[in-house]
Amino acid sequence: MGSNIDHGVTEEAAYPGLDALPHAIEGEMTLAVRVIGWLITGMLLAAVVAGLWQGITGHQGLRTDVVNGLAVSEVGFAIVLILLGSIVEGFGYGLSLGTRWPYTRNIVVLMVRGDPEAAHRMVATLVGLVALALVILSPSVSTISGLSLIVVTALFGMGTLYVLAGRAPAVVHGTHGLLAYGVFLIYLTGLVYPGLNFWAYLGATGALHALLLAVFLGGMTTGQRGFGTAIGPFVKPQKAAQWTIAAHISAALLLVATLGWMMPAYPIAFYLAVAQVAVGFLLFHAVNLKPKDPGVMVAFHQSMVLLMCLAIVLQWR
């Protein structure tokens, strides 16, 4: 049996013209959400420990060791942040705090109780603070760009709440997802290839272009269908949500074709992309069966994208 969390957020007047969509819609605290929450907590702790280990064992000078340790933790935090976003979507917590942003007065209590949206916002704050520390300790194009991306991502994150409530266009949701992966990639590449200009690397890496296009259209798909609304089965698209997912599927196939064309440069990424197409169809059916909370498939879908990013940047073979 699941239980609802008392969010301290009143169900205010419904938005006009939105079929009485309340200001805040609480998600259900199920065993699956709790277990995933424990796993996410473990990942956060692992990111902290990895950063501490990198800093302690670096022996490159205090400032450099601190910067390297923070960079390692930041990559882990960025991964957790993306996964938390998928859990928020998958288990119906997208509007659990309403459209109040960035915080409610009891957000820390809600996070401790297991609300994924509260945790998502607090981890986003942590990512921002670490990024600020990196800019102060090691100002560079990459660290300044990373902090700038985080600020813009946060602003679009506020916009996603209005997308889910039907008051902003789906492109806001797609852009938010794209920026979130940009944050992850900029710190990952900075860690793997120190001193490399991220924007030059991104411009030269065609595999990432195809992947990020699919990410953007995936976010658009979520935004276009809205909160708790099924896309519906179709052969020929009849409505905007169906046209958007058709574009997303096309982008996924383009990614497979791109990685296949580049073989043997990114073999693991290619196999992951092929598998992701099947995962995507399973998620499509899950969304239609349970539009409000399609479940763990959303997190699994995002995990595959994260693995593809790692496979491309690290050139897994």
Side-chain angles (χ1 to χ4, degrees):
M1 294 293 290
S3 61
N4 288 335
I5 298 175
D6 179 10
H7 287 76
V9 181
T10 59
E11 291 196 352
E12 299 172 12
Y15 294 123
L18 290 178
D19 298 324
L21 181 67
H23 201 272
I25 302 176
E26 297 182 6
E28 187 178 14
M29 181 53 60
T30 64
L31 178 60
V33 176
R34 293 188 186 279
V35 170
I36 292 172
W38 296 333
L39 292 174
I40 290 293
T41 301
M43 291 179 66
L44 278 173
L45 292 175
V48 172
V49 170
L52 288 172
W53 180 259
Q54 178 65 35
I56 292 170
T57 61
H59 306 302
Q60 299 180 41
L62 179 60
R63 180 184 288 260
T64 301
D65 289 342
V66 170
V67 168
N68 290 340
L70 287 173
V72 169
S73 292
E74 184 77 330
V75 172
F77 295 155
I79 291 173
V80 168
L81 189 59
I82 290 171
L83 290 176
L84 275 171
S86 67
I87 293 164
V88 166
E89 177 188 344
F91 291 93
Y93 280 84
L95 289 172
S96 69
L97 302 183
T99 52
R100 294 182 183 180
W101 185 90
Y103 309 114
T104 60
R105 57 183 172 79
N106 59 342
I107 192 168
V108 175
V109 175
L110 296 176
M111 180 183 69
V112 172
R113 290 180 182 176
D115 186 312
E117 174 63 7
H120 183 67
R121 298 190 193 186
M122 294 304 292
V123 173
T125 302
L126 177 61
V127 169
L129 291 174
V130 173
L132 178 60
L134 286 170
V135 169
I136 293 171
L137 293 171
S138 180
S140 66
V141 172
S142 292
T143 57
I144 294 171
S145 295
L147 179 60
S148 300
L149 278 178
I150 289 167
V151 172
V152 178
T153 304
L155 293 174
F156 273 89
M158 175 180 63
T160 61
L161 301 176
Y162 290 95
V163 174
L164 294 177
R167 305 191 72 183
V171 67
V172 173
H173 205 292
T175 303
H176 176 66
L178 180 64
L179 291 169
Y181 274 93
V183 170
F184 167 57
L185 287 169
I186 200 167
Y187 289 108
L188 176 64
T189 54
L191 189 64
V192 177
Y193 308 112
L196 179 70
N197 185 304
F198 169 73
W199 300 109
Y201 172 80
L202 180 62
T205 310
L208 287 178
H209 301 170
L211 178 59
L212 292 175
L213 175 62
V215 166
F216 172 71
L217 289 171
M220 282 275 293
T221 299
T222 300
Q224 192 64 59
R225 76 180 182 90
F227 185 80
T229 304
I231 296 171
F234 65 93
V235 176
K236 179 182 178 181
Q238 300 294 328
K239 56 184 180 180
Q242 293 175 348
W243 281 107
T244 306
I245 196 170
H248 179 51
I249 293 170
S250 299
L253 295 176
L254 176 63
L255 174 61
V256 171
T258 300
L259 293 171
W261 177 263
M262 292 180 169
M263 286 286 276
Y266 307 109
I268 301 300
F270 171 74
Y271 299 133
L272 287 169
V274 172
Q276 179 75 318
V277 173
V279 173
F281 276 107
L282 292 175
L283 177 57
F284 173 74
H285 288 294
V287 166
N288 285 329
L289 287 172
K290 298 182 67 179
K292 181 176 178 289
D293 52 344
V296 73
M297 285 304 300
V298 181
F300 188 65
H301 196 57
Q302 290 291 353
S303 298
M304 294 285 284
V305 181
L306 287 166
L307 287 173
M308 279 187 275
C309 289
L310 290 168
I312 291 170
V313 174
L314 301 178
Q315 298 184 12
W316 287 348
R317 297 179 182 276

